[in-house]
Amino acid sequence: MDELNKAVTKAFANTFVYYYKAHAFHWNLRDKDFPEFHGFFGDLWEEVFEAVDPFAEKIRTLQTDVPSTMGQLIALANITEQPNVIAKDLMVAELLSDGETIINSLREAYNLCDLYGKFGFENFLAERIDAHEKHNWMLRSSM
């Protein structure tokens, strides 16, 4: 179970850091396509944010603590911060790459949930994988 707890906590940290990065991109975008991408990034961060609380609650059902500081989240995540990114193309490329990172961490957690018989959590993770695959399709289409 320790392996499962580490995997779901890492996937959660990646999700939270991705949410925050997309939110910051929404705020700081400077581009001729600002109105369109401000809205696009807004839809993206809002969808991911909606999953944060249910994800944390799923982790708690495993009797595991959820990271509670930005420092803990950043230390656990494979996604890194990118200060001063203000151009749409760079933001889209960052979020696309980070989306692949999230999908990989979600798949790892999904496989371990299957192994340990945590089928409700597995279903939740499958839905998150689908959501991030859709996000990546949209990001790829806008490049």
Side-chain angles (χ1 to χ4, degrees):
M1 283 294 279
D2 192 44
E3 183 181 31
L4 172 61
N5 292 340
K6 286 180 182 176
V8 297
T9 302
K10 179 176 278 302
F12 176 83
N14 281 326
T15 298
F16 197 93
V17 174
Y18 181 91
Y19 141 71
Y20 193 80
K21 183 185 272 188
H23 203 156
F25 286 176
H26 166 79
W27 294 326
N28 293 311
L29 174 68
R30 293 184 195 154
D31 194 89
K32 63 181 172 42
D33 298 322
F34 175 83
E36 177 185 354
F37 278 85
H38 179 73
F40 176 68
F41 291 151
D43 292 344
L44 181 62
W45 77 255
E46 287 173 356
E47 191 285 324
V48 176
F49 183 71
E50 287 293 319
V52 168
D53 191 60
F55 202 156
E57 290 173 356
K58 289 282 188 197
I59 291 171
R60 292 295 297 135
T61 68
L62 301 176
Q63 303 303 309
T64 299
D65 290 333
V66 178
S68 58
T69 69
M70 290 303 292
Q72 289 173 322
L73 291 162
I74 291 168
L76 288 168
N78 299 107
I79 294 173
T80 59
E81 298 175 291
Q82 290 297 339
N84 304 320
V85 174
I86 57 172
K88 173 198 71 171
D89 292 342
L90 294 174
M91 291 174 169
V92 169
E94 277 284 317
L95 291 173
L96 180 59
S97 176
D98 292 343
E100 290 300 323
T101 299
I102 289 176
I103 290 167
N104 290 335
S105 68
L106 290 167
R107 282 189 177 132
E108 180 182 347
Y110 174 92
N111 291 333
L112 289 167
C113 282
D114 186 58
L115 180 68
Y116 287 100
K118 300 298 180 183
F119 304 119
F121 206 153
E122 184 179 11
N123 291 339
F124 172 80
L125 294 171
E127 291 176 5
R128 296 311 310 147
I129 291 166
D130 284 349
H132 282 284
E133 286 175 342
K134 182 177 180 180
H135 297 320
N136 277 9
W137 157 64
M138 297 175 116
L139 289 162
R140 253 190 302 299
S141 295
S142 67
M143 293 180 87

